Amino acid sequence: MRVLYAQSGGVTSVINASAYGVLDEARKAGMEVFVGIHGVTGILKEHLLKINDMDIEGLKYTPAGAFGSCRRKMKTQEDISKLFDVIEKYKIEYFFYNGGNDSMDTAWRIAQEAKTRGFPLKVIGVPKTIDNDLPYTDHCPGYGSAAKYIAISIMEASLDLRSMYVDSTRVFVMEIMGRHAGWLVAAAGLGWLNGIGADIILFPEVYFNKEKFLERVDEIIRKKGYCSIAVSEGIRYPDGFFVSDMGYTDSFGNRQLGGVGFTIAGMIRSELSLKTHVAIPDYLQRSGRHIASKTDIEEAEMVGRTAVRLALSGVTGVMITIERKSNNPYTVEYGTVELNKVADQTKYLPEEFHDDFEITENFVEYAKPLIEGELFPQFRNGLPKYTIFREVEEQ
């Protein structure tokens, strides 16, 4: 039996824990295990790595895509046919694609092609995204750790602001990833569990009202002297236009966003004459493994293991889901959903999780278990010891 695993889309701090779950479970089942380097882009080039005799234990502690990711969408029948040429050449029987919305679309297309050809290929989608916007699953591996990173970062930055505001910066703005869904920016409010967090949160689900926003900033400044703001990169005006974007699209046709933090800061400086500082965590928020959530790490591994177990039982054409059974104590079970139901769909932050500028207790109850616990990597020379496969750099 031969397995092919690959990573796709924006990476997370725990995607490699899912990789470890898939690869270790497959090896234990006596399979020959291959990895596609840089997702389907590498598979189309026959850039595969056999990992049966490799040490993969460090994957559980390593952020980002250890085997390389990609943002390639299988748009044409030519691409699909070429991919199957490789799959047939290497006699692959099981394919696990680890990614988000667009990746589930790719997995679905591959599953459909296998069905059309009568080819005995089992295809399972392994979810990951810091955006937490995949439908039919309570949450996604990668989100809990990114949420924890955001919550801690805004806490620490707000403490810095609180120290200096008397005759220095009065407003701090953090620009946070999240094109359409506000799950990640909402995490900036979790710091209030321990006494300090974002004073204002700008969600992509709430149309941006400049006047109302500036009134709230002014109100908070008058009340306590400083204001900490978390803004989603995807906030829009009522006419649907992004408050800020880079002016071009990526390979999936998505508008490239960025710079909204500086746009918001400019409004504050111009209208309220307040000294403002901006921070953009960017890659840091999705690859901050040093402070990752233990819950997230363990669940990421389990979705990988579950994918292999189900595929071996004959399941195909599905994505693994996480189903929450209880908050106290926090318990989950693992299920499935058909890939075509997930492909290119978005799960938005529910209205009961936020108001105009703040999160609600419902969101706190939802998110708190997902950021619990720590499972630190080993440190060497005062720095985390991460696993780096040099084969990924060979083209």
Side-chain angles (χ1 to χ4, degrees):
M1 295 185 293
R2 290 189 169 188
V3 169
L4 178 58
Y5 165 86
Q7 299 173 326
S8 176
V11 295
T12 80
S13 65
V14 301
I15 187 174
N16 292 326
S18 290
Y20 176 78
V22 170
L23 304 179
D24 186 62
E25 195 71 20
R27 291 198 307 191
K28 286 179 177 178
M31 298 174 162
E32 287 187 80
V33 186
F34 293 85
V35 174
I37 301 304
H38 293 291
V40 291
T41 298
I43 296 171
L44 290 172
K45 299 176 182 177
E46 292 189 46
H47 193 186
L48 308 183
L49 177 65
K50 189 174 180 180
I51 60 89
N52 286 74
D53 298 324
M54 296 177 66
D55 180 5
I56 62 171
E57 291 297 315
L59 284 174
K60 292 183 289 185
Y61 305 95
T62 300
F67 299 107
S69 189
C70 71
R71 288 197 180 278
R72 179 165 184 159
K73 194 167 186 175
M74 305 297 285
K75 297 180 179 179
T76 67
Q77 185 59 40
E78 181 181 358
D79 280 344
I80 294 289
S81 296
K82 188 173 181 181
L83 185 80
F84 267 83
D85 288 343
V86 177
I87 287 173
E88 292 181 8
K89 177 178 179 180
Y90 285 85
K91 298 180 172 62
I92 301 299
E93 299 171 67
Y94 301 89
F95 179 57
F96 302 97
Y97 210 36
N98 199 172
N101 309 68
D102 292 316
S103 305
M104 293 307 117
D105 178 68
T106 293
W108 177 68
R109 291 172 185 270
I110 293 170
Q112 288 299 107
E113 183 69 13
K115 183 177 180 180
T116 299
R117 292 178 176 225
F119 188 83
L121 179 71
K122 301 294 186 293
V123 181
I124 305 284
V126 182
K128 68 87 213 158
T129 174
I130 65 169
D131 294 328
N132 201 38
D133 59 354
L134 291 179
Y136 301 100
T137 183
D138 179 80
H139 56 279
C140 295
Y143 172 67
S145 295
K148 185 172 184 136
Y149 184 95
I150 290 299
I152 292 172
S153 296
I154 202 77
M155 288 176 73
E156 294 175 341
S158 297
L159 287 169
D160 188 303
L161 181 67
R162 183 173 181 268
S163 303
M164 302 293 294
Y165 78 92
V166 172
D167 54 12
S168 186
T169 302
R170 304 287 295 279
V171 179
F172 172 75
V173 180
M174 180 180 286
E175 179 182 321
I176 297 170
M177 288 178 171
R179 173 177 302 277
H180 300 299
W183 296 97
L184 193 55
V185 75
L190 294 175
W192 289 110
L193 286 166
N194 287 5
I196 193 165
D199 296 298
I200 293 175
I201 302 175
L202 299 178
F203 304 95
E205 289 86 356
V206 179
Y207 286 129
F208 179 69
N209 183 311
K210 179 179 176 181
E211 291 71 27
K212 189 175 181 180
F213 165 68
L214 292 173
E215 286 175 6
R216 178 60 69 92
V217 175
D218 187 57
E219 176 186 343
I220 292 170
I221 291 292
R222 291 177 184 277
K223 180 178 179 180
K224 66 178 190 177
Y226 62 94
C227 181
S228 181
I229 300 169
V231 53
S232 168
E233 64 180 354
I235 60 169
R236 299 171 183 254
Y237 290 112
D239 61 9
F241 285 95
F242 289 110
V243 173
S244 178
D245 73 35
M246 303 297 286
Y248 60 93
T249 61
D250 65 12
S251 58
F252 289 117
N254 299 317
R255 297 295 297 177
Q256 286 297 283
L257 306 181
V260 69
F262 291 100
T263 300
I264 292 297
M267 294 177 187
I268 294 169
R269 284 193 297 267
S270 175
E271 302 293 333
L272 301 178
S273 299
L274 296 170
K275 185 176 180 180
T276 306
H277 187 82
V278 179
I280 305 177
D282 201 49
Y283 285 3
L284 304 179
Q285 65 203 290
R286 72 186 192 191
S287 293
R289 176 58 183 80
H290 60 288
I291 197 62
S293 154
K294 185 172 185 288
T295 297
D296 195 24
I297 297 162
E298 292 174 345
E299 291 181 346
E301 181 179 340
M302 279 306 302
V303 296
R305 292 189 183 279
T306 301
V308 175
R309 293 168 187 172
L310 290 179
L312 285 171
S313 73
V315 175
T316 187
V318 301
M319 182 190 82
I320 306 302
T321 60
I322 301 175
E323 302 171 5
R324 188 181 309 217
K325 295 302 178 181
S326 171
N327 272 331
N328 190 20
Y330 173 69
T331 57
V332 300
E333 292 181 359
Y334 298 91
T336 63
V337 62
E338 292 87 352
L339 285 168
N340 62 307
K341 290 185 178 180
V342 182
D344 296 327
Q345 301 300 310
T346 299
K347 180 178 70 175
Y348 299 99
L349 188 70
E351 289 186 7
E352 63 266 25
F353 281 4
H354 68 91
D355 62 18
D356 286 347
F357 296 114
E358 298 175 340
I359 57 173
T360 64
E361 285 300 318
N362 287 332
F363 176 76
V364 174
E365 182 180 7
Y366 168 86
K368 187 174 179 293
L370 309 184
I371 65 171
E372 291 281 0
E374 295 77 41
L375 190 60
F376 298 112
Q378 292 182 339
F379 277 70
R380 184 177 65 190
N381 300 321
L383 302 169
K385 181 183 177 183
Y386 292 142
T387 294
I388 300 173
F389 295 110
R390 297 301 176 192
E391 294 88 347
V392 173
E393 299 168 2
E394 297 175 1
Q395 298 297 324

